[in-house]
Amino acid sequence: MRSLEAVLQDWEAVIGLEVHTELTALKTKMFCSCKIEFGAEPNTHVCPVCLGLPGALPAPNKAAIESIVLAGLATGCEIEKRSMFYRKNYFYPDMSKNFQTTQGPVAFCMRGSIDLEVTGLAAKERSDLSGTILPSVPLSTSTPDAYLTRIGITRIHMEEDAGKMIHVGGVDGRITGADYSLLDYNRCGTPLIELVTEPDLRTPEEARLFLQKLRQIYLTLDISDCSMEEGSLRCDGNVSLRRRGETTLGTKTELKNMNSFKNLHDGLAYEICRQAEVLESGATVLQETRHWEPASKRTVSMRVKETADDYRLFPEPDLAPYDLTDEFIEAVRTRLPELPDAKKQRFIERHGLPYADAITISADVELARFFDATLRELSGDAAEGELPEGELSEGATLRELSEDATRPPALALARPVANLLINDVTAWLNANSLTLAQSKLTPAQLAQLAQLVTNEIISSKQGKEVLALAAETGEAPAQIIEQRGMKQVSDTGIIETIVDTVLATHPQKVEEYRNGKTGLLGFFVGQAMQASKGQGNPKLINEVILSRLEK
Ligand code: ADP
Ligand code: ZN
Ligand code: MG
């Protein structure tokens, strides 16, 4: 098979996603009062309604309707005031009702969109920058290949989840070859929202970015834990090819089992290459559902696609159509939190973050919350109140320093805080396989660390060490540097002595430097840093060395 890059030169990929999200933040199911709980003892959260026993009547969960309206408003959808539920009939053991309650042609949310900013390597997959690209939106001066594209959302509808089957005795938990299957109906009737996109995506990277952004929006709304591992966020990818310049759609295949961002990207990339090979051999693509196998890196056919008629969809007689009032919709609108795009704007405009940093932080709910909490620490009294007393540098105590009028105001510390978060904190978390929530690091600690580094009480190199200790022990950075004597030496006299010793030890190199080998500066700084046991202020060391060598 040819590479994705080569294929996309000749063909345009057309991709649409269907994203199922369980509303895990809700306490109870869609049409009954059974508890929603992942990992509970099998079949302990079931009742006549979610099992579909004769005579049981459904009663809709208002909180679930609020959640889907919230999702619709956050993705620019129009909220349909009048919509209803339908029965989608099929037999499969994971659904004892033999029909799924879902929505018909009109869903609660219709006609929305999400804008994607595609930058850096992700932008490289798109060789033809025409089509749905919005006109001349300057994204970043540093990455001229970045672009903005608007992805239409067809609809978001409400439905209920099915139960879980556990196949015993086969390979990989697949049904084929299994000896028997176990059924757990706990998940039956869990409210699910399904978002369907227009076929507006053009590369696997765009698909990945879309799903990541949608996940962050849902996490911000706090309607689901969006765990791809536990299956509360599931995505199917539809993809077809057409010759560049063509406007009609080709025959699509639908990919299942895209249970991670990487799988979504890699599965689509494989499928694009496979379809290109089929089409280039003169054959046609079959409309079918295919399963992505990450281990063998290929997709295999599961079944030829069913059509809506096969499900004998008909209006649910036990549920009245909805008439959402304006008051209800407006009340939900007031609950809309600040969304990632707005956050990014605020980080740039109010806190002066560089564009790339603002994207990184706003694109991650946890990171953004931590960043804001840290800024609150810095602007409020909390930070100062927590600083311990103690001699730190040239007679100044930390408390005095924090009250020093020359110290950068809280907003000026936004950049160093962002820097620490994006680089040092993220690196430390990755190295320790932890998330922010799992670590002991607090916004108060990060606020203090940013002050200590910015005020040059410790070097940024020492900052990394202090961060690691703070995150491990939960201790305050100021306490850590005091206990371990990690102060940065900014005493000019001491630095001068160190530098003079270093230069005196290497007369040959000093000679070479003066003869034009200025690259040796780094060598001298390194030696002086070593002599100061890593505590010398690197900026000061640099200055002193330069002034000595220039003599
Ligand atoms: P189906 O009837 O097979 O479920 P839909 O029309 O409901 O198909 O679309 C399902 C998803 O597939 C949507 O996200 C849509 O954008 C996408 N899609 C539809 N047609 C194509 C196509 N020809 N190529 C790629 N994606 C498509
Ligand atoms: Zn129930
Ligand atoms: Mg469909």
Side-chain angles (χ1 to χ4, degrees), residues 134-151:
L134 299 186
S136 64
V137 183
L139 277 180
S140 161
T141 46
S142 58
T143 51
D145 56 348
Y147 63 89
L148 185 75
T149 180
R150 177 160 293 170
I151 310 305

Side-chain angles (χ1 to χ4, degrees), residues 21-224:
T21 311
E22 276 178 15
L23 300 177
T24 54
L26 296 179
K27 294 193 175 56
T28 58
K29 295 187 182 180
M30 188 64 223
F31 299 112
C32 62
S33 53
C34 288
K35 215 167 125 186
I36 297 174
E37 185 187 7
F38 179 81
E41 186 74 12
N43 299 308
T44 52
H45 297 321
V46 289
C47 75
V49 173
C50 53
L51 291 176
L53 302 188
L57 283 176
N61 181 344
K62 189 177 168 203
I65 311 291
E66 284 170 2
S67 297
I68 193 171
V69 171
L70 208 50
L73 293 174
T75 51
C77 287
E78 291 166 34
I79 307 301
E80 291 284 350
K81 288 192 203 156
R82 195 172 173 85
S83 68
M84 56 195 287
F85 281 101
Y86 283 69
R87 288 188 179 189
K88 185 174 172 181
N89 297 273
Y90 69 94
F91 169 76
Y92 202 63
D94 66 356
M95 172 76 89
S96 63
K97 284 163 66 172
N98 285 357
F99 65 85
Q100 181 192 32
T101 308
T102 181
Q103 292 202 278
V106 181
F108 281 118
C109 315
M110 305 287 289
R111 300 171 294 276
S113 67
I114 287 180
D115 287 349
L116 292 184
E117 289 158 312
V118 191
T119 60
L121 281 179
K124 294 248 185 304
E125 275 185 4
R126 186 136 183 184
S127 51
D128 162 42
L129 283 183
S130 62
T132 56
I133 308 298
L134 299 186
S136 64
V137 183
L139 277 180
S140 161
T141 46
S142 58
T143 51
D145 56 348
Y147 63 89
L148 185 75
T149 180
R150 177 160 293 170
I151 310 305
I153 292 168
T154 315
R155 56 191 268 139
I156 312 176
H157 67 253
M158 177 75 88
E159 58 186 37
E160 55 176 351
D161 211 349
K164 218 185 274 174
M165 293 180 79
I166 299 133
H167 307 295
V168 183
V171 191
D172 292 342
R174 303 281 298 274
I175 192 167
T176 320
D179 295 326
Y180 59 92
S181 299
L182 297 170
L183 287 162
D184 177 4
Y185 287 131
N186 279 350
R187 203 175 65 186
C188 270
T190 299
L192 210 62
I193 57 175
E194 178 178 351
L195 178 147
V196 182
T197 76
E198 290 292 301
D200 288 345
L201 297 153
R202 291 292 173 268
T203 67
E205 280 294 356
E206 287 179 14
R208 173 182 10 216
L209 285 170
F210 180 90
L211 191 61
Q212 281 174 340
K213 186 153 185 182
L214 181 67
R215 179 170 182 270
Q216 291 303 328
I217 290 173
Y218 285 170
L219 286 175
T220 307
L221 299 177
D222 213 1
I223 55 175
S224 171

Side-chain angles (χ1 to χ4, degrees), residues 408-533:
L411 283 192
L413 276 172
R415 268 168 178 255
V417 168
N419 232 315
L420 282 168
L421 257 184
I422 293 171
N423 299 310
D424 299 1
V425 174
T426 306
W428 186 85
L429 291 173
N430 286 345
N432 291 278
S433 306
L434 289 174
T435 63
L436 260 180
Q438 290 166 336
S439 85
K440 282 190 184 151
L441 194 70
T442 63
Q445 286 176 311
L446 187 64
Q448 207 179 64
L449 186 63
Q451 286 178 312
L452 291 167
V453 175
T454 308
N455 293 329
E456 296 186 2
I457 291 168
I458 53 172
S459 68
S460 53
K461 188 159 161 279
Q462 286 174 316
K464 289 195 213 316
E465 234 177 289
V466 174
L467 172 77
L469 289 165
E472 271 158 31
T473 63
E475 279 172 31
Q479 214 168 323
I480 292 169
I481 66 172
E482 212 154 67
Q483 278 163 3
R484 292 166 212 247
M486 287 172 79
K487 284 160 277 180
Q488 170 166 262
V489 178
S490 295
D491 182 316
T492 315
I494 297 175
I495 299 287
E496 280 173 351
T497 315
I498 290 174
V499 167
D500 288 343
T501 315
V502 167
L503 297 182
T505 326
H506 302 283
Q508 187 67 40
K509 292 216 155 58
V510 173
E511 193 60 33
E512 287 172 29
Y513 179 94
R514 293 203 164 117
N515 288 333
K517 210 170 158 194
T518 50
L520 280 169
L521 178 63
F523 168 79
F524 294 127
V525 173
Q527 291 291 310
M529 276 306 277
Q530 216 168 29
S532 75
K533 298 194 180 63

Side-chain angles (χ1 to χ4, degrees), residues 14-18 154 195-200 236-241 249-254 287 305-308:
V14 174
I15 300 167
L17 301 181
E18 291 165 282
T154 315
L195 178 147
V196 182
T197 76
E198 290 292 301
D200 288 345
D236 302 334
N238 298 271
V239 57
S240 65
L241 293 189
L249 292 172
T251 304
K252 73 177 164 84
T253 56
E254 181 175 354
Q287 175 154 350
K305 181 81 187 163
E306 323 72 2
T307 66

